[in-house]
Amino acid sequence: MYLILKNIHHYVGMATLVFILLLTVVTFIYYLQERSTSKQIKKISLFSLIITHTQIVLGVILYFSSPIFQNISMKDMMGIPQLRQTYVEHPVSMIIAAIFLTIVNIKIKKSSKITFSTTLMAAISLALVIGMIPKAFWNSFILS
């Protein structure tokens, strides 16, 4: 069950990255062109939000069902850099990115134009997601 969820988390993560990248690019274009918000950007924002929150739920389930989490204390986990990155830094960064995306979605729904702060929060979310993707994810593209 754990491996199935891990694989689902991996592929949903790819979709999350694509949607957050798309949202960031579209908000940047709308901001530069000073266009009013449309149904398309609202849908992109909503899909980004839904898939990101789905990814967070899968991550939380994986976090607490992980064999490493169940066998190692938090003190020992913080002392090993790879485990700290996987079980502390990665989840916290992804939750912060989801919070920013939620705020971006609210701003897109409520305002008629995309502001700089909306674009900046989308870009920060993208940077957090890209920065905390595990190295194994990138290695799967390089070695394939």
Side-chain angles (χ1 to χ4, degrees):
M1 181 70 174
Y2 176 76
L3 290 176
I4 293 170
L5 281 175
K6 192 173 178 182
N7 285 329
I8 293 170
H9 185 70
H10 174 78
Y11 291 111
V12 172
M14 288 183 199
T16 302
L17 180 61
V18 168
F19 272 102
I20 294 173
L21 178 63
L22 179 65
L23 178 65
T24 304
V25 169
V26 170
T27 55
F28 187 67
I29 291 169
Y30 270 64
Y31 172 70
L32 289 179
Q33 294 179 350
E34 298 180 1
R35 293 172 59 183
S36 58
T37 55
S38 64
K39 286 184 179 180
Q40 288 83 11
I41 194 168
K42 289 179 181 181
K43 285 181 182 179
I44 291 169
S45 175
L46 181 63
F47 288 141
S48 298
L49 185 70
I50 290 169
I51 201 157
T52 301
H53 281 83
T54 302
Q55 181 72 343
I56 294 291
V57 169
L58 287 170
V60 167
I61 293 169
L62 277 173
Y63 186 81
F64 289 110
S65 65
S66 169
I68 293 175
F69 180 77
Q70 294 172 357
N71 295 326
I72 295 179
S73 70
M74 189 56 84
K75 180 181 177 186
D76 294 336
M77 194 179 296
M78 293 299 283
I80 303 169
Q82 187 176 9
L83 289 180
R84 183 181 62 239
Q85 197 272 336
T86 303
Y87 290 97
V88 179
E89 296 168 4
H90 175 80
V92 170
S93 296
M94 296 303 160
I95 290 170
I96 293 169
I99 291 168
F100 279 147
L101 285 172
T102 304
I103 295 168
V104 166
N105 185 49
I106 291 168
K107 286 186 167 207
I108 288 173
K109 282 190 336 189
K110 289 189 176 185
S111 66
S112 61
K113 299 240 183 212
I114 302 297
T115 61
F116 178 72
S117 64
T118 305
T119 305
L120 182 64
M121 279 192 273
I124 290 171
S125 296
L126 179 63
L128 283 169
V129 169
I130 289 174
M132 281 295 128
I133 293 175
K135 290 181 183 178
F137 180 83
W138 297 116
N139 290 340
S140 67
F141 288 117
I142 295 169
L143 298 176
S144 303

